[in-house]
Amino acid sequence: MYIPMRTTILLTCMTLVSAVGPAWAGDAAQLRRSFLDPPDDARIMMRWWWFGPSVVKAELEREMRQMKAAGIGGFEIQPVYPLALDDEQAGIRNLAFLSGEFLEALRFTAEKASELGLRMDLTLGTGWPYGGPDVPVSQAAARLRVERAPVNSHTRRVPLPAIGQGEQLLGTFHIETNSGAIAAEEVAGGGSDGALWFGDGAHKPEEVWFFIASRTGQMVKRAAVGGEGFVIDHYSRGATERYLRTVANPMIEALRSRIPFAVFCDSLEAFGADWTPDFLDEFQRRRGYDLKPRLAALTGDNPGFEARAIRHDWGRTLTELLNERFLAPMKEWSVRNGTRFRIQNYGTPPAVMASHAYVDLPEGEGSQWKTLRQSRWAASASHIYRRPVASSETWTWLHSPSFRATPLDLKAEADRHFLQGINELNGHGWPYSPPGAEYPGWRFYAAAALNENNPWWIVMPDVARYLQRLSFLLRQGRPANDVALYLPNGDAWASFRLGKVHMIEALRERVGDRVIAAVLEAGYNLDFIDDGSLEQTGRIEQGALSMGDGRYRVVILPGVECMPPATLRTLDRFARSGGALIATRRLPDCAPGFRATAAEHSDVRRAVRSLFEGERAPARFVADEDRELARTLRGALKPDLALSPAAPEIGFIRRTTQDAEIYFVANTGNQARNVKATFRIGGKEPQLWDPLTGEASPADVRAREEDATTIAMDLPPYGSRVVVFSSLPAPAADGEGRAAPPPPIDLSRGWQVTFGERSVFMDALRSWTDDEETRYYSGTATYEKRVAVPAAFLRASREVELDLGEGRTADPAAGDAQGEGMKAFFEGPVREAAVVYVNEERAGAVWCPPYAVDVRRLLRPGENRIRIVVANLAVNHMASRALPDYRLLHLRYGERFTPQDMGGIQAIPSGLSGPIRLIGR
């Protein structure tokens, strides 16, 4: 499908590259220095929920300063539903959305963010999807509905359905079924008495169907006060332009002195939106035939070939209207106002991969890294369309309920986004909370609550630094994914039915889960491509398909039924140039669309036979993805990373620069893995870069070949490493030629523990929840102990770790679970974070495996004072309190949210469990 590439779009993309940082052009030594101390523009972002919005300037400034202190680089403002009634005494006043006071709060925030060096993005609206009180029913999200009236031998009169405001009766049909097939005959719509009559002896159908151009009736979800109203019709340019005029323009005018870095559109969740008033005319113009007499083909669960072809054309037309009437005006508006367009470009209406041609900053969501999900969707778009940054909405539903998420949870999910190609994290999220709110403050109904009210926030600068290093590194050079997975948009459109036009869901049903997992587990990484993006950006090189920044040596067709002949011709040239073309489960055998000719179907079948049949065929067919795909891939191309023994929970992603090959490797499981890792890189020296500390160490090389290097890798539960191949000399190896390390010094007993003004002596370590006085305590406790360290111990140790214990797997069977409620299935010896001080100097933070910190430089012979500040979860305090009562709030404003998973909250074990040891190496 062709999408016109407007000059303004291309110019803005060029501007964007310079705004967010060009591909790395420096040498590996400079890359190393920047990894240790990455630039500020690689810091994570936060979605900042303004509840009500009831905000005051003093608190807005305080929270921005808290973000900056925590290592957060900026925020996206999203006004949402109120959490409290107006209360003058408590300082709560819900400002009407787009009121002068609300716009003044926006202006103040933009000015203060600029002063503080924080990036500010802005949701162009309230809640999601776009909509509000200025959306008339004539421009509200639309759908095609069907009213069915059964007919029997006694039926003489069938009443016409009621037609409501904003609706139109399109057609009336007599319906017959034969072996499941539907035969529809259009008839006159009825008489003046509002009924359809059958005369004596007249043939009577089985049913009468009435097709009505209707409205979904969907209202803006989680709207702020004054932002309530219909969701817009995304297929109507008039609706889009009216929305921009009435909502976006007032917001941007208030910010003329400090234009937001980007404006944001949340995921397309206009549920059931599958129509627009002029759809029949547009369909006729684009597809070349009249859809009206064929409307019955859009219903039912088991359409035949002809019905699927009509549905394809319906779905394709919906996508084109979305592109031209919503995405294009949004992009044009952003250009005129000097900002960038960031969008979660998926859902309903059915955006496709090629729809990202209109997007500056593609954003995804979803940590499920081995299935067809939105994060890889956005990252693929960034690679294909040369957008250097791909962001994700991160930590949605993380370890529900609110305030239950731990720093390890944050890392475990973030690593999965990185593995998919994401290089900017937009945390979901930061809840604005007024000064007088009861601890732990306001929170969003379904997300991690990420602010300083989490006791473990004492390590947030360390967590943020880890994420910043990886975000920076994964923007350098260009992506190096070997495999392009073709998304069969045509087959997905053909599977649409009324009310069900979600593109990713339809593609997931067609592609399945196993093909992506099989590619990843075979030692490759992949991007998604489709017909439109291939037409716009694809070019064939010797043995490769180049698309934007992506250069693919393998293309996989996953169970494709129909393909455009033009796409097949391009892939034929790819295969005959030496590229690996692999089809799975079935071979394409038809051209898409109702007006595809017999000659076009024959062209497809002829091209497929030429590609896949015969001993010298340039392409390969795989019937069983589980059993055959990995072997076929390895026969075509050496794995980029092969692990021995196999470890499917370990993933990787690679970037390539002029001077370095960069691999991020992560263990997504809850058990330690010791493997030999063979990288498809020869002739360069491998180093291990630790994203937790920024430190580099030599890799333990076990074998070298001309085009491969094997190293030993130890990855703790949810552990990660960066492996960099370059011409840099390897750092000096520690411990070579040294004597055996000394025995560890056990420190597990005899700690003085202070909770605020209360101090207890713990001869043996135990959870705070074991004591009645601290069972529901949320906060920090200080563990103190004086330790005698022999001089001989220090002389024999190049490094000394204060090891706080190993922890244990919480649920081995669930270690790689990929449900919506992401969490780390691991119980550490530190619940949940700690900062270590030795002789009153900060040694480091501990919040994920390995639960240890290097203290060698701070220890001295003889007596040493060790102080460990330990923080737990705010949810322990919540477990001792009644839940907020929102009854009056819901009566006043309607029930705009339902708190998730708040029943039966229990106090979580807290503190140190040990064993604690000083370990010399």
Side-chain angles (χ1 to χ4, degrees):
M1 177 186 60
Y2 177 72
I3 298 177
M5 297 288 288
R6 304 175 191 271
T7 303
T8 53
I9 294 175
L10 294 175
L11 288 175
T12 301
C13 293
M14 293 169 63
T15 304
L16 174 70
V17 171
S18 62
V20 298
W24 186 258
D27 61 17
Q30 180 58 46
L31 182 67
R32 170 79 188 86
R33 289 190 291 272
S34 295
F35 177 72
L36 183 63
D37 186 17
D40 288 349
D41 66 4
R43 292 184 174 190
I44 66 171
M45 298 277 291
M46 281 287 172
R47 178 168 296 172
W48 194 6
W49 292 296
W50 288 11
F51 296 101
S54 174
V55 295
V56 295
K57 291 180 179 179
E59 179 62 20
L60 289 170
E61 179 175 350
R62 190 196 71 82
E63 294 191 15
M64 283 187 276
R65 291 186 181 277
Q66 286 287 336
M67 291 185 204
K68 186 174 180 66
I72 295 165
F75 52 84
E76 163 215 313
I77 297 173
Q78 187 173 91
V80 290
Y81 55 84
L83 275 177
L85 296 169
D86 288 2
D87 185 336
E88 184 176 355
Q89 186 175 359
I92 303 297
R93 189 161 67 90
N94 291 297
L95 310 177
F97 179 64
L98 294 185
S99 66
E101 292 166 297
F102 168 75
L103 295 176
E104 171 59 20
L106 280 185
R107 186 204 61 77
F108 169 81
T109 302
E111 295 281 352
K112 188 57 66 174
S114 177
E115 176 187 320
L116 295 173
L118 295 171
R119 168 179 155 185
M120 174 176 146
D121 287 7
L122 178 64
T123 300
L124 278 185
T126 170
W128 69 94
Y130 286 173
D134 290 317
V135 178
V137 69
S138 60
Q139 293 184 338
R143 71 183 181 107
L144 182 64
R145 71 179 178 93
V146 184
E147 293 287 335
R148 295 172 170 84
V151 177
N152 58 44
S153 60
H154 303 293
T155 301
R156 296 196 62 203
R157 179 180 184 276
V158 176
L160 299 182
I163 304 298
Q165 188 175 358
E167 292 189 321
Q168 178 189 0
L169 178 63
L170 296 179
T172 303
F173 294 84
H174 288 180
I175 301 297
E176 306 276 3
T177 58
N178 180 16
S179 301
I182 297 174
E185 177 189 1
E186 187 175 7
V187 297
S192 59
D193 63 345
L196 184 68
W197 287 86
F198 294 99
D200 293 335
H203 172 74
K204 296 178 181 178
E206 296 174 16
E207 290 184 315
V208 176
W209 289 2
F210 302 95
F211 284 83
I212 301 163
S214 184
R215 304 289 164 175
T216 68
Q218 183 180 357
M219 309 296 280
V220 175
K221 297 169 64 175
R222 323 303 175 204
V225 173
E228 307 87 347
F230 288 124
V231 168
I232 68 167
D233 179 358
H234 291 74
Y235 308 118
S236 164
R237 188 173 184 108
T240 302
E241 291 178 341
R242 181 189 183 101
Y243 183 82
L244 290 171
R245 187 170 61 253
T246 59
V247 176
N249 283 353
M251 298 177 85
I252 206 73
E253 286 300 325
L255 301 173
R256 278 299 168 200
S257 64
R258 290 289 185 271
I259 295 296
F261 181 88
V263 292
F264 177 63
C265 177
D266 215 324
S267 52
L268 301 173
E269 297 182 26
F271 300 131
D274 57 19
W275 201 256
T276 197
D278 67 343
F279 189 87
L280 288 176
D281 292 338
E282 284 296 319
F283 187 95
Q284 174 85 51
R285 182 175 70 84
R286 296 162 188 267
R287 306 283 83 86
Y289 66 96
D290 188 2
L291 177 62
K292 183 181 175 184
R294 300 173 177 86
L295 287 173
L298 308 185
T299 68
D301 294 331
N302 298 296
F305 183 83
E306 180 178 293
R308 291 199 302 274
I310 293 170
R311 294 186 188 196
H312 165 279
D313 293 347
W314 167 53
R316 179 181 175 182
T317 303
L318 290 174
T319 297
E320 290 174 356
L321 293 175
L322 169 72
N323 292 338
E324 298 167 19
R325 296 179 170 188
F326 178 73
L327 295 176
M330 289 296 304
K331 174 65 182 176
E332 293 160 6
W333 183 93
S334 300
V335 171
R336 287 197 305 272
N337 287 283
T339 187
R340 302 159 186 82
F341 182 34
R342 178 165 65 88
I343 182 175
Q344 296 177 356
N345 200 21
Y346 44 82
T348 304
V352 297
M353 184 59 57
S355 300
H356 288 93
Y358 299 97
V359 177
D360 294 319
L361 294 166
E363 179 161 295
E365 62 184 299
S367 61
Q368 298 82 356
W369 63 294
K370 290 187 179 182
T371 63
L372 203 166
R373 295 290 291 194
Q374 296 91 327
S375 287
R376 191 180 297 277
W377 175 271
S380 299
S382 77
H383 299 162
I384 293 169
Y385 290 104
R386 287 186 168 158
R387 311 307 197 247
V389 172
S391 60
S392 68
E393 174 187 303
T394 317
W395 307 312
T396 310
W397 302 103
L398 181 71
H399 210 157
S400 188
S402 296
F403 291 105
R404 176 61 182 86
T406 71
L408 178 58
D409 291 327
L410 268 65
K411 179 186 187 298
E413 176 169 335
D415 285 351
R416 293 183 176 205
H417 289 271
F418 290 139
L419 291 175
Q420 297 175 76
I422 294 299
N423 54 21
E424 179 177 274
L425 304 180
N426 283 301
H428 194 273
W430 182 292
Y432 174 95
S433 192
E438 182 181 356
Y439 181 81
W442 287 359
R443 57 265 196 185
F444 197 63
Y445 77 103
L450 302 174
N451 60 19
E452 79 282 3
N453 291 331
N454 292 279
W456 55 257
W457 203 253
I458 60 172
V459 302
M460 188 61 197
D462 302 270
V463 177
R465 196 67 160 174
Y466 168 85
L467 302 172
Q468 182 184 0
R469 286 194 178 102
L470 290 172
S471 297
F472 160 76
L473 200 61
L474 295 176
R475 296 179 190 180
Q476 307 315 310
R478 64 171 183 82
N481 293 342
D482 290 316
V483 178
L485 183 70
Y486 171 80
L487 299 182
N489 293 343
D491 291 348
W493 285 324
S495 71
F496 283 3
R497 60 187 187 277
L498 291 182
K500 301 290 184 180
V501 294
H502 191 297
M503 195 68 189
I504 287 187
E505 289 181 358
L507 285 169
R508 192 179 300 133
E509 290 178 5
R510 298 295 306 182
V511 171
D513 290 335
R514 279 308 306 158
V515 63
I516 295 174
V519 171
L520 298 176
E521 292 167 13
Y524 309 87
N525 213 322
L526 62 92
D527 285 331
F528 301 141
I529 66 171
D530 67 359
D531 300 307
S533 59
L534 183 62
E535 181 180 356
Q536 292 164 9
T537 71
R539 68 182 187 277
I540 305 302
E541 300 175 354
Q542 190 61 38
L545 169 64
S546 289
M547 296 180 67
D549 286 333
R551 190 172 187 275
Y552 309 107
R553 299 165 71 180
V554 180
V555 176
I556 296 178
L557 310 179
V560 179
E561 180 180 355
C562 294
M563 284 187 75
T567 298
L568 261 177
R569 287 192 291 271
T570 299
L571 296 180
D572 183 276
R573 288 190 289 115
F574 164 72
R576 297 184 192 281
S577 77
L581 179 63
I582 303 171
T584 69
R585 299 197 304 272
R586 60 163 297 152
L587 294 174
D589 63 2
C590 61
F594 181 68
R595 298 198 70 191
T597 65
E600 288 173 319
H601 293 312
S602 296
D603 286 347
V604 169
R605 289 189 285 269
R606 188 181 306 112
V608 168
R609 286 196 299 271
S610 174
L611 277 167
F612 291 94
E613 293 183 6
E615 292 183 3
R616 303 181 64 127
R620 295 289 178 266
F621 172 68
V622 170
D624 188 323
E625 292 163 344
D626 279 327
R627 296 182 180 180
E628 302 176 47
L629 183 55
R631 183 172 67 250
T632 303
L633 282 168
R634 289 169 181 154
L637 179 67
K638 192 169 188 172
D640 200 9
L641 174 56
L643 302 176
S644 178
E649 64 274 22
I650 294 179
F652 79 96
I653 192 163
R654 177 182 172 189
R655 304 280 299 189
T656 183
T657 75
Q658 292 180 354
D659 198 39
E661 300 296 331
I662 304 165
Y663 290 82
F664 170 65
V665 183
N667 179 6
T668 67
N670 61 356
Q671 299 184 54
R673 289 288 180 252
N674 302 316
V675 297
K676 291 181 180 178
T678 301
F679 297 86
R680 196 179 62 215
I681 300 292
K684 293 187 176 183
E685 195 65 34
Q687 295 184 10
L688 298 180
W689 292 6
D690 186 349
L692 290 171
T693 64
E695 295 175 353
S697 60
D700 181 3
V701 177
R702 298 299 178 89
R704 296 183 189 268
E705 302 174 35
E706 183 179 352
D707 63 347
T709 305
T710 300
I711 68 173
M713 290 192 74
D714 297 334
L715 289 170
Y718 302 107
S720 56
R721 294 286 187 275
V722 172
V723 184
V724 178
F725 291 84
S726 73
S727 57
L728 286 177
D734 291 337
E736 292 185 2
R738 297 179 65 85
I745 300 174
D746 192 291
L747 308 179
S748 300
R749 307 188 73 86
W751 289 87
Q752 194 70 34
V753 184
T754 303
F755 301 84
E757 297 181 357
R758 181 175 181 271
S759 184
V760 298
F761 179 77
M762 288 190 184
D763 183 51
L765 296 170
R766 61 182 183 273
S767 170
W768 306 349
T769 56
D770 291 346
D771 297 342
E772 188 66 33
E773 294 84 354
T774 54
R775 179 166 302 152
Y776 299 108
Y777 174 77
S778 290
T780 62
T782 301
Y783 289 64
E784 295 181 276
K785 183 182 180 69
R786 295 189 181 273
V787 179
V789 180
F793 180 90
L794 295 177
R795 285 196 301 270
S797 304
R798 183 187 296 265
E799 297 178 355
V800 178
E801 286 186 344
L802 179 63
D803 188 301
L804 303 184
E806 294 185 355
R808 66 186 183 89
T809 297
D811 182 357
D816 198 35
Q818 296 196 31
E820 293 293 345
M822 173 69 196
K823 65 179 180 179
F825 292 88
F826 191 80
E827 295 176 359
V830 179
R831 305 296 296 271
E832 299 298 334
V835 178
V836 176
Y837 298 85
V838 176
N839 296 320
E840 296 309 314
E841 290 194 50
R842 191 181 193 272
V846 182
W847 51 274
C848 67
Y851 294 94
V853 62
D854 185 5
V855 296
R856 175 65 179 84
R857 64 183 178 85
L858 301 177
L859 290 173
R860 56 191 178 222
E863 185 176 84
N864 293 263
R865 184 187 178 195
I866 295 180
R867 177 164 58 93
I868 307 174
V869 180
V870 181
N872 68 340
L873 299 170
V875 76
N876 284 23
H877 175 86
M878 293 165 60
S880 68
R881 299 294 192 271
L883 296 177
D885 183 359
Y886 296 118
R887 183 180 65 88
L888 293 179
L889 181 74
H890 291 332
L891 288 172
R892 171 63 180 85
Y893 294 113
E895 190 167 345
R896 304 190 184 192
F897 67 97
T898 301
Q900 300 294 299
D901 304 323
M902 296 298 291
I905 295 177
Q906 301 291 320
I908 306 300
S910 304
L912 300 179
S913 59
I916 301 176
R917 299 179 298 166
L918 283 175
I919 300 177
R921 302 186 192 282

